[in-house]
Amino acid sequence: MMNIFSDMFSSIKWKFMVVYFLLVFMAMVIVGIFIVGKLETQQIDNVTNNMEQHIKNIINTSSYLQEDDWKSVQEEIQETLNEWRIDSKENIYVIYNEEIPKILASSLKDTEKANNQNALSYKDIDPTLIIEANKGIKATGRVEQINEERLTSHIAYPVLTEYGEVKGIIYMISDLKDAMETVERSKIILTNATLIALLITISLGYLIANSITEPIRDVTRKVEEMAEGDFDQKVEVRSNDEVGQLASMFNYLTSELKATINEMEVEKSKLDTIFNYMTEGVVAIDQEGYIIHANPIGLDILNMEKEKSFLDKKELVQFPYEKVNFNRIDYSEIDRLQGDTISEIDGEIYKIKYAPYKTDTNHIDGLILVFQNMTNEYKLDNLRKEFVANVSHELKTPITTIKSYTETLMDGGMDESVQLSFLHVIDDECNRMGRLVSDLLQLSNMDFKKTVWKKEKLNINRLIRDIVQKLELSFETKNQKYELDLDEENPSLKVDRDAIEQVLLNIISNAVKYTNENGLVVIKTKCTDNFINISIRDNGIGIPEEDLERIFERFYRVEKGRSRDLGGTGLGLAIAKEIIQGHNGYIDIYSEYENGTTVEIKLPKMVL
């Protein structure tokens, strides 16, 4: 017999069956509580029925209450109530049905306090019952008098004429103290019985639940420690039942989980490193358009650094479709969920590649967008196209001129002086093409690092004076003046004389070309700790602000027609910049439209 019970209770199934049995037992106790409620209702109903019977007896035995006009027999009705044996716990009021119902008589010792009072406002009477009884319907209710700490039962019984009209109301109040005491005694009995049952239940429940929950609590503690990151947890296996099997499986799970998490951490670390340090921006969005993940480059591209804190807290942040000029995806059109598009974001050109990602059930959950910055490629492509167009244009004009003049010469019929002038034009155009090709070759050599600088010691002040002397005629032709402010303490530089002369000659001649007659060109040198600064300032036509950032581009001209008429190839400043940078120096241009231009050159004191 003992073995049978031992086998039964070694199974967690039987343990739970006993628990369920005890729960049913507790349910029976709860049913007992409802029985008390029913008893209370029954007691009150008995009191109410007795009150109604009492009222009927008074009505049937009093001839005065049979009269239609109670007001005329008010004193007789009061005497009837005085003679009637009414319990001290009960009060009766006879209410005459007028426009304002009034109390004609009462069973109170001091009848003067109640008689002729408005029944609807009298303190002991419930006006709602009076209103209900005036409809010819018996009305009952309970009133809890808080100040007197008692519960009373009320009944308003209508008395009808032979025509069915309400001529008056008998209102009776009865104290429910005895009924409530009976209910309270029943509650005490049931409470004591329930307490005994609860003690038994707690004792049995403790023994049974402890045998079940103690191993589970042990597992729970271990799980909590695992949740905090400590996966070196083992649970003691105390039995061979289901709980023991749970402990064994928990131990197996922890060992497998630890190995799996270690592998995942390694892979996650790799992915995070790749994800965070890749040059492309990556953003993942769900079907509702909310960002669920983004790398730093992606947030920077979308200018969403302020929203990063919300994403870290897993709060919803909407993907800015309008900002990237990217239309919302219709996930019902599967064929259009993968592709690429070009978009401009904050002045940068991006190629956006997108493709869907799926759940384990092969359900499309959202999109992965990859932002690849194509700005440099676009700029280079545009520069290449513009360069080819500029070279073609620069060569087209002299070739057209040479061809037309040559064809004219081939037709003959011209005197020798005209032929000579035509040949001079052809020679000028050939020289122009030669200069253009020479400049292009020079730039090409510098681009491919093929330029060999023939460096020698050079006094920069002397070089500037030589260049100004060469341009003396140009200054006189436009009646311009020049000022030299040269630092005589400048040390000699080791540079390529021809290259530096080409730069200075180009810049000073540009100052002369783009300065009106009677203008002024100021050339200044100054020695600092590490550099020799050369400044060429004029008060000429200046350069518009929007053109300054492109002034060193090849073939770029501020006023294309005028620049070409002045004989430039559009490559002078580009060559100047390459030469200065080749000497580890710096060149900058500052200008204000119609207020002159300043070119500043910095060359190191010693160039290796």
Side-chain angles (χ1 to χ4, degrees):
M1 189 70 177
M2 292 297 294
N3 291 333
I4 295 175
F5 280 102
S6 177
D7 292 338
M8 289 177 58
F9 284 97
S10 66
S11 172
I12 196 170
K13 178 179 71 174
W14 290 104
K15 294 175 183 177
F16 278 114
M17 288 177 66
V18 173
V19 172
Y20 292 148
F21 172 79
L22 294 176
L23 290 174
V24 172
F25 176 75
M26 294 300 297
M28 293 175 64
V29 175
I30 295 172
V31 170
I33 296 174
F34 284 103
I35 292 174
V36 172
K38 185 65 176 178
L39 177 61
E40 180 180 346
T41 303
Q42 186 64 41
Q43 289 291 323
I44 294 174
D45 289 344
N46 289 339
V47 173
T48 303
N49 292 335
N50 290 336
M51 292 169 63
E52 183 178 354
Q53 188 62 40
H54 202 166
I55 292 172
K56 288 180 180 179
N57 290 338
I58 294 174
I59 294 173
N60 292 333
T61 57
S62 174
S63 60
Y64 300 109
L65 292 175
Q66 304 297 328
E67 298 289 336
D68 289 340
D69 186 6
W70 285 1
K71 202 169 185 181
S72 62
V73 291
Q74 179 178 3
E75 294 181 1
E76 288 80 359
I77 294 174
Q78 181 62 57
E79 290 178 2
T80 300
L81 293 182
N82 293 339
E83 294 173 356
W84 197 270
R85 293 182 179 180
I86 299 175
D87 195 300
S88 60
K89 297 179 180 178
E90 297 177 340
N91 288 324
I92 297 178
Y93 299 92
V94 178
I95 301 171
Y96 184 60
N97 189 22
E98 292 182 319
E99 182 178 352
I100 299 177
K102 290 186 177 181
I103 301 173
L104 290 180
S106 69
S107 63
L108 299 176
K109 291 182 180 180
D110 189 359
T111 59
E112 296 299 328
K113 290 184 178 180
N115 292 355
N116 297 319
Q117 295 293 322
N118 185 350
L120 295 177
S121 60
Y122 191 70
K123 64 175 184 176
D124 292 336
I125 296 176
D126 187 349
T128 58
L129 300 181
I130 299 296
I131 295 171
E132 189 71 19
N134 275 330
K135 298 177 183 178
I137 303 172
K138 177 186 68 175
T140 59
R142 281 179 286 174
V143 176
E144 183 178 359
Q145 296 177 336
I146 299 174
N147 294 334
E148 300 179 11
E149 295 184 353
R150 65 171 185 159
L151 183 66
T152 55
S153 178
H154 292 232
I155 182 169
Y157 193 90
V159 181
L160 307 178
T161 64
E162 59 181 345
Y163 301 108
E165 297 177 353
V166 178
K167 60 183 176 180
I169 299 170
I170 306 299
Y171 194 98
M172 188 172 182
I173 302 173
S174 179
D175 198 332
L176 295 175
K177 182 178 180 181
D178 293 340
M180 291 298 102
E181 287 179 352
T182 301
V183 174
E184 288 300 323
R185 286 193 295 271
S186 301
K187 287 182 179 178
I188 293 172
I189 295 171
L190 287 172
T191 300
N192 291 334
T194 303
L195 289 174
I196 295 172
L198 285 174
L199 289 174
I200 297 172
T201 302
I202 291 171
S203 300
L204 292 175
Y206 176 78
L207 295 174
I208 298 172
N210 190 59
S211 64
I212 298 174
T213 58
E214 182 59 32
I216 296 176
R217 280 197 295 267
D218 189 21
V219 172
T220 303
R221 286 192 294 268
K222 301 299 184 181
V223 170
E224 289 176 352
E225 293 180 10
M226 290 177 63
E228 295 176 358
D230 184 5
F231 295 98
D232 294 324
Q233 302 297 326
K234 294 291 181 182
V235 176
E236 182 182 355
V237 181
R238 301 177 180 177
S239 61
N240 294 323
D241 60 8
E242 287 86 344
V243 175
Q245 294 173 13
L246 173 63
S248 299
M249 290 304 299
F250 175 82
N251 293 335
Y252 175 74
L253 173 65
T254 55
S255 60
E256 291 296 313
L257 182 61
K258 184 178 179 181
T260 303
I261 289 178
N262 288 336
E263 293 178 3
M264 291 178 62
E265 287 293 335
V266 173
E267 294 301 320
K268 183 177 181 298
S269 178
K270 294 178 182 177
L271 291 175
D272 286 344
T273 302
I274 295 171
F275 191 65
N276 290 326
Y277 290 94
M278 62 189 304
T279 57
E280 289 82 8
V282 180
V283 178
I285 60 175
D286 60 18
Q287 289 199 19
E288 285 71 35
Y290 292 108
I291 298 175
I292 60 175
H293 203 52
N295 68 347
I297 298 297
L299 293 176
D300 183 60
I301 291 172
L302 300 175
N303 196 18
M304 297 181 67
E305 287 298 324
K306 295 181 179 179
E307 288 80 0
K308 186 178 184 302
S309 59
F310 294 101
L311 292 173
D312 292 340
K313 297 175 183 177
K314 304 301 182 183
E315 297 184 17
L316 297 178
V317 177
Q318 186 68 234
F319 180 78
Y321 288 98
E322 297 78 10
K323 184 173 184 177
V324 301
N325 195 25
F326 187 77
N327 296 326
R328 287 182 177 269
I329 296 295
D330 185 358
Y331 287 89
S332 61
E333 300 180 8
I334 300 177
D335 295 338
R336 299 182 61 186
L337 293 180
Q338 185 171 349
D340 58 70
T341 183
I342 300 296
S343 179
E344 181 177 351
I345 305 174
D346 295 334
E348 299 286 320
I349 305 299
Y350 292 92
K351 184 176 185 179
I352 305 176
K353 297 181 180 180
Y354 54 91
Y357 63 90
K358 301 179 180 180
T359 62
D360 294 338
T361 58
N362 208 32
H363 172 72
I364 295 176
D365 208 27
L367 284 182
I368 300 290
L369 297 96
V370 178
F371 294 79
Q372 185 179 4
N373 195 326
M374 304 292 292
T375 305
N376 291 334
E377 288 79 356
Y378 268 75
K379 286 183 178 179
L380 289 174
D381 187 57
N382 290 334
L383 287 174
R384 179 184 59 80
K385 293 177 181 177
E386 187 175 347
F387 179 79
V388 172
N390 286 330
V391 171
S392 301
H393 186 78
E394 293 293 338
L395 291 175
K396 179 180 178 181
T397 301
I399 290 174
T400 302
T401 302
I402 292 172
K403 181 175 178 59
S404 61
Y405 276 74
T406 302
E407 289 176 349
T408 303
L409 288 172
M410 290 173 64
D411 290 340
M414 293 183 295
D415 57 31
E416 185 177 349
S417 62
V418 175
Q419 290 179 359
L420 185 61
S421 66
F422 276 28
L423 291 173
H424 279 298
V425 171
I426 293 172
D427 183 61
D428 290 340
E429 293 301 320
C430 287
N431 292 334
R432 180 178 175 184
M433 286 193 296
R435 290 195 303 273
L436 177 62
V437 172
S438 177
D439 288 345
L440 288 173
L441 287 174
Q442 186 177 4
L443 280 173
S444 177
N445 288 333
M446 286 188 284
D447 287 340
F448 290 99
K449 309 298 181 182
K450 293 182 179 180
T451 302
V452 178
W453 304 113
K454 299 178 181 179
K455 295 180 180 180
E456 59 182 273
K457 288 186 178 181
L458 174 68
N459 186 298
I460 196 68
N461 291 345
R462 186 178 304 165
L463 178 62
I464 291 174
R465 289 190 178 95
D466 292 343
I467 293 172
V468 169
Q469 187 175 1
K470 291 179 181 179
L471 296 173
E472 190 76 37
L473 182 60
S474 298
F475 282 110
E476 292 178 357
T477 302
K478 300 186 72 173
N479 197 26
Q480 294 176 346
K481 295 181 180 180
Y482 63 87
E483 294 180 2
L484 298 180
D485 183 8
L486 306 179
D487 189 348
E488 297 300 334
E489 295 183 2
N490 278 341
S492 298
L493 300 176
K494 192 173 183 180
V495 295
D496 187 314
R497 176 188 175 88
D498 293 339
I500 299 301
E501 182 179 3
Q502 180 181 355
V503 172
L504 294 176
L505 186 60
N506 179 274
I507 294 172
I508 296 173
S509 63
N510 280 345
V512 175
K513 290 178 185 177
Y514 299 107
T515 300
N516 298 325
E517 293 185 359
N518 303 315
L520 175 65
V521 178
V522 179
I523 304 171
K524 181 179 179 181
T525 61
K526 183 175 179 59
C527 183
T528 62
D529 292 339
N530 299 314
F531 292 92
I532 292 178
N533 298 336
I534 305 169
S535 172
I536 298 98
R537 175 171 55 87
D538 64 61
N539 60 354
I541 60 177
I543 302 170
E545 183 178 356
E546 61 270 17
D547 293 314
L548 277 175
E549 62 181 16
R550 299 189 61 188
I551 199 67
F552 289 108
E553 291 182 11
R554 300 171 187 186
F555 290 110
Y556 188 81
R557 292 187 173 94
V558 177
E559 296 182 50
K560 295 179 172 55
R562 182 176 178 181
S563 300
R564 192 173 288 111
D565 292 340
L566 293 174
T569 62
L571 297 173
L573 288 177
I575 294 173
K577 183 176 182 180
E578 294 290 341
I579 291 174
I580 297 299
Q581 288 180 346
H583 285 75
N584 299 320
Y586 304 93
I587 181 171
D588 290 300
I589 294 182
Y590 306 94
S591 181
E592 184 177 348
Y593 188 57
E594 295 184 351
N595 284 324
T597 301
T598 300
V599 180
E600 291 187 355
I601 300 172
K602 292 183 179 181
L603 289 172
K605 286 184 177 180
M606 292 300 296
V607 180
L608 300 178

